[in-house]
Amino acid sequence: MGDARSNQPGLRRRAVLAGAGGALCSTAGCVQRARNVLGRDSTSQLSLRILTLPTDANPFSARIARSLAENLRRCGIDAQIEPADYEAILRRVLINGDFDLYVGQFGRADWTDPDQLYSLLHSAYASESGWQNPFRYTDLDLDGHLETQRTAAGIARERAVRSIQRTIAETQPFTTLAFPDSLATVRVDRFRNWTGVPGDPLALLGVESAPTASASTLRVVTNDGRITANWNPLAVEFRNRGPFIDLLYDSLARRVDGERRPWLAADWTVERSEGLHATVDLREGAEWHDGKPIDAGDVAFTYRFLADTSLGSAETAVPSPQFRGRTSLVDSVSVRDDRTVRLSFAEAAEAVAERALTIPILPEHVWRERTDPATLAGLDANRAATEALIGNNPGPVGSGPLRFDSATVDQRLALSVVDDHFLFGSDPPVDVGGSLPYDELVVRVAGSDESAVELVASGGADATVSPLGPSVVPRIGRETGLRLLAAGSRAFYHVGYNTAEAPLSNTRFRQVVAGLIDKQRVVSDVFEGYAMPAASPMHGTDWLAPGLEWDGADPATPFFGERGDLDAASARATLADAGYQYRDGDLLTE
């Protein structure tokens, strides 16, 4: 493994830097760990802050955080919960690195593809903003496995993915907790054929009119009002990519039924000639929502722009963090003609390289003017940003099957169907019967799960689109006109650690923290059984590493206790064995 990795330029450079600086530990914070183990004089109680959404915004995160804080206190740690709104948490975690621990949920990322883990954990991204390596985690051995899974295929890739999962389980840069079910409720008196859950954009495109109904508007309700105020697909601190952004913007390819299919691209061909390349042909007649034609120049611009939203005007590149993992797969892009573009990929297997085709394509005539430097309240002054990354993108111009009409902040969003979109043409990427059974999609904002369900029950909406909590399931069951939809979700809950700061730089300390969480009890008490406990982000996929299957207990970081009852003495003893000191029952910091 070491010989193979030494031929990779990035790793060779880091090895030289390591040699110049002396011995290099494989995990961030090794010097601090050594000091902890040596037991230098300690003077004050260790204090940790746990970031989480408030209970009314996400009761699951809040309850997990409270349980973790209580168990940390029982171990002699002064644990404080810091509730904050979604944007503040993302800014502190993803941009400024101002946190100790946080409890959250990964969004609609494609967690069936292990290459998601490349940008999440690779050392190259430890100093960048965004979902790429928010833990500031550094492990050169893991880097090697992450790079191998990008370039290898077959058994070699499977082995690398297994090694990645085992390293995550052993070192805990984050702790995978559970995969909740995605719950929604729908009416069937106006529309039917609800498949999956309505939060999936393809589900909103697949509905049919009920036989006795004639409705021109599909009405959905969400308890997340951000989509009524911000339509910027690049805004890291504002959102994970959601269904309405996917309906406004097309990508060259989209995952349908587990495979990538051409979408805005009519097709593409892949060749290996001095590297891996894809020649992409665009669909004929595709237009932006403002009527301008889409051409290969827009596609080439998008890849260059997402790689550097300053387009060379800043001292260093300012990439779009939202799509960093996928755009890093592309080395260069060139225009062949108005409808043909050629992508040259970095070293990668074909199946991995095709992930780069799933980014939203942007109109050059709109976004080219958003390269200027920008500042935002709460943003670390040392972090470069552009207007493209922090603006709310008013009046968004996309090319998707729905276009923006109007919005009232925290109340309502209206989108209209683009009748001449290729989805309704002669060769659609998915079969929608030639048209949609509605002309308009209206999104209303409710203040809670209960009020969202009530709006559907009263006939004011046809479906919920933000995930519901299990507490409203009995309410849905009492209504004869409502149906409960449930589907397994890949958006798992987790605890994230700032591995660049002591004591969370210490692998053994993170292992103890992970062992303070009874995941089985989290599923039964917090999610009321509507979730699956897990020890790996690849849980529920064919990529799951042997030995990390859930079999009634956590195979990697077992809970210090039984049935939710913490054995604090055992946890304290483990911390003492790791070199930490106690005084009068308090765990001490240096």
Side-chain angles (χ1 to χ4, degrees):
M1 190 67 192
D3 292 340
R5 289 173 52 215
S6 66
N7 293 325
Q8 300 179 36
L11 291 177
R12 283 203 306 271
R13 181 179 65 83
R14 287 195 293 276
V16 170
L17 292 174
L24 178 66
C25 292
S26 63
T27 305
C30 52
V31 174
Q32 183 64 51
R33 286 203 306 274
R35 291 173 177 170
N36 284 338
V37 172
L38 289 174
R40 287 172 48 186
D41 290 338
S42 302
T43 59
S44 60
Q45 184 182 19
L46 177 64
S47 179
L48 293 175
R49 303 166 298 164
I50 305 176
L51 276 176
T52 184
L53 290 167
T55 300
D56 59 352
N58 189 316
F60 311 123
S61 292
R63 291 182 65 185
I64 293 167
R66 286 197 299 268
S67 176
L68 176 57
E70 174 59 27
N71 286 347
L72 285 167
R73 292 179 192 124
R74 293 182 62 188
C75 292
I77 298 167
D78 176 27
Q80 301 296 325
I81 296 175
E82 294 189 2
D85 63 36
Y86 191 85
E87 291 85 353
I89 290 176
L90 292 186
R91 199 167 299 154
R92 288 180 62 177
V93 172
L94 304 186
I95 299 179
N96 294 337
D98 175 25
F99 72 103
D100 296 326
L101 306 84
Y102 73 88
V103 178
Q105 183 183 21
F106 282 123
R108 293 178 54 249
D110 182 14
W111 289 107
T112 60
D113 191 325
D115 193 56
Q116 285 285 151
L117 296 168
Y118 182 92
S119 57
L120 188 69
L121 290 169
H122 198 287
S123 301
Y125 301 121
S127 62
E128 292 193 10
S129 302
W131 276 117
Q132 61 276 4
N133 204 342
F135 321 110
R136 300 194 284 173
Y137 178 75
T138 305
D139 187 322
L140 299 187
D141 288 333
L142 180 62
D143 288 350
H145 299 313
L146 290 166
E147 290 158 3
T148 297
Q149 70 80 32
R150 276 208 152 181
T151 57
I155 295 297
R157 190 181 187 209
E158 291 178 13
R159 289 173 179 165
V161 174
R162 291 172 183 173
S163 296
I164 292 167
Q165 294 174 75
R166 292 182 180 123
T167 301
I168 294 171
E170 290 168 2
T171 65
Q172 294 290 309
F174 63 90
T175 298
T176 304
L177 299 178
F179 288 81
D181 292 341
S182 187
L183 305 176
T185 188
V186 300
R187 301 181 64 91
V188 293
D189 55 341
R190 289 164 31 99
F191 297 96
R192 64 179 187 179
N193 193 39
W194 294 101
T195 58
V197 291
D200 179 350
L202 294 182
L204 295 171
L205 296 174
V207 298
E208 301 172 354
S209 289
T212 59
S214 177
S216 62
T217 300
L218 176 63
R219 306 160 307 169
V220 298
V221 57
T222 179
N223 57 19
D224 183 350
R226 288 171 293 157
I227 191 60
T228 65
N230 189 300
W231 305 277
N232 186 348
L234 313 186
V236 172
E237 77 282 4
F238 203 81
R239 69 158 51 81
N240 292 308
R241 194 176 177 189
F244 305 112
I245 293 295
D246 284 344
L247 293 170
L248 285 168
Y249 290 91
D250 288 320
S251 51
L252 296 175
R254 183 164 289 182
R255 183 175 285 275
V256 180
D257 296 333
E259 64 178 24
R260 294 185 191 98
R261 294 186 189 175
W263 195 263
L264 181 57
D267 202 357
W268 64 80
T269 57
V270 178
E271 61 179 279
R272 283 194 178 274
S273 175
E274 298 182 355
L276 184 67
H277 313 273
T279 301
V280 181
D281 297 316
L282 301 179
R283 292 181 182 271
E284 291 188 27
E287 291 184 343
W288 298 110
H289 293 159
D290 60 6
K292 297 183 183 298
I294 301 172
D295 60 25
D298 290 307
V299 177
F301 165 81
T302 297
Y303 284 94
R304 293 167 184 154
F305 188 64
L306 295 184
D308 179 11
T309 58
S310 79
L311 292 179
S313 62
E315 291 185 7
T316 58
V318 186
S320 166
Q322 190 81 327
F323 305 101
R324 188 78 164 95
R326 280 172 278 179
T327 57
S328 67
L329 288 163
V330 177
D331 267 348
S332 63
V333 57
S334 59
V335 173
R336 289 293 183 87
D337 56 47
D338 284 349
R339 290 184 49 243
T340 309
V341 67
R342 178 180 169 87
L343 303 178
S344 296
F345 297 106
E347 187 177 359
E350 181 176 335
V352 176
E354 287 182 352
R355 287 189 63 233
L357 303 179
T358 62
I359 64 172
I361 301 303
L362 306 175
E364 181 176 6
H365 64 280
V366 172
W367 290 84
R368 177 171 281 280
E369 305 305 317
R370 302 180 180 180
T371 60
D372 290 341
T375 58
L376 183 68
L379 184 68
D380 187 334
N382 294 319
R383 301 282 185 175
T386 59
E387 293 289 347
L389 297 179
I390 69 170
N392 64 358
N393 190 30
V397 177
S399 64
L402 279 83
R403 66 162 56 91
F404 176 86
D405 275 349
S406 64
T408 303
V409 175
D410 289 332
Q411 295 183 31
R412 185 178 185 273
L413 168 70
L415 307 173
S416 60
V417 175
V418 180
D419 293 325
D420 57 355
H421 189 269
F422 57 78
L423 189 64
F424 316 123
S426 59
D427 184 27
V430 294
D431 184 11
V432 295
S435 64
L436 294 182
Y438 53 88
D439 300 321
E440 184 182 44
L441 172 64
V442 171
V443 185
R444 292 183 60 181
V445 179
S448 65
D449 287 355
E450 290 75 13
S451 56
V453 172
E454 177 59 34
L455 191 61
V456 179
S458 66
D462 300 299
T464 58
V465 290
S466 52
L468 297 174
S471 63
V472 297
V473 171
R475 170 76 171 86
I476 296 170
R478 291 193 297 269
E479 293 285 342
T480 57
L482 300 186
R483 284 179 51 202
L484 175 68
L485 299 182
S489 169
R490 299 302 305 163
F492 61 90
Y493 277 81
H494 63 287
V495 176
Y497 308 108
N498 187 344
T499 68
E501 302 291 340
L504 292 161
S505 55
N506 188 322
T507 297
R508 294 185 68 184
F509 187 88
R510 296 195 302 271
Q511 290 170 341
V512 172
V513 174
L516 299 180
I517 306 168
D518 187 341
K519 299 178 184 180
Q520 196 72 56
R521 182 59 64 92
V522 166
V523 166
S524 62
D525 291 358
V526 175
F527 295 103
E528 300 182 30
Y530 288 95
M532 291 294 295
S536 166
M538 292 290 102
H539 176 88
T541 73
D542 293 338
W543 296 101
L544 182 63
L548 292 181
E549 304 92 345
W550 190 271
D551 187 21
D554 193 310
T557 52
F559 177 59
F560 285 101
E562 295 182 0
R563 300 179 181 178
D565 295 326
L566 177 68
D567 182 351
S570 178
R572 285 170 173 263
T574 303
L575 286 169
D577 288 343
Y580 290 92
Q581 298 180 16
Y582 280 91
R583 183 178 63 201
D584 299 329
D586 292 342
L587 187 69
L588 302 180
T589 184
E590 292 187 328

